[in-house]
Amino acid sequence: MATGFGFDRDAVLQAVQQLTGVRSELESARQQAGQLSASGSRDVDLALRDFTQAAIQHQTTLVAAVAAVAGRLDDVVTGHAELDSALANERPTH
């Protein structure tokens, strides 16, 4: 019944699956990064270490944001089902 409002449940579920895939790819990339090797220059090594730590922090934040959006979209699907059920229960029968 709530689908009459233009809600495309399948499109939302597909977006959730795609976001979950993005999150998995980001997590996989972080695991594959490995250790930095010494460059022979203390300044370069420190700069690379700082850059790597900042990149990991940003990636962690991005993974959390993607997971949050996927969770919210999943909540939209749940809310839609609840609304649809409530509307169906309110519908007068003749």
Side-chain angles (χ1 to χ4, degrees), residues 12-43:
V12 175
L13 289 173
Q14 184 179 16
V16 170
Q17 289 175 339
Q18 290 172 344
L19 288 168
T20 301
V22 167
R23 188 189 77 212
S24 294
E25 289 175 15
L26 286 168
E27 290 172 338
S28 176
R30 182 178 19 183
Q31 293 171 356
Q32 294 174 5
Q35 293 290 325
L36 293 173
S37 58
S39 67
S41 167
R42 181 182 176 277
D43 290 341

Side-chain angles (χ1 to χ4, degrees), residues 46-63:
L46 289 174
L48 286 172
R49 187 198 71 208
D50 291 346
F51 174 80
T52 301
Q53 287 175 343
I56 289 169
Q57 179 58 44
H58 288 297
Q59 187 180 39
T60 300
T61 302
L62 183 58
V63 167

Side-chain angles (χ1 to χ4, degrees), residues 70-88:
R72 286 188 180 127
L73 287 176
D74 198 41
D75 290 345
V76 167
V77 172
T78 300
H80 170 264
E82 291 170 358
L83 175 62
D84 196 51
S85 177
L87 289 173

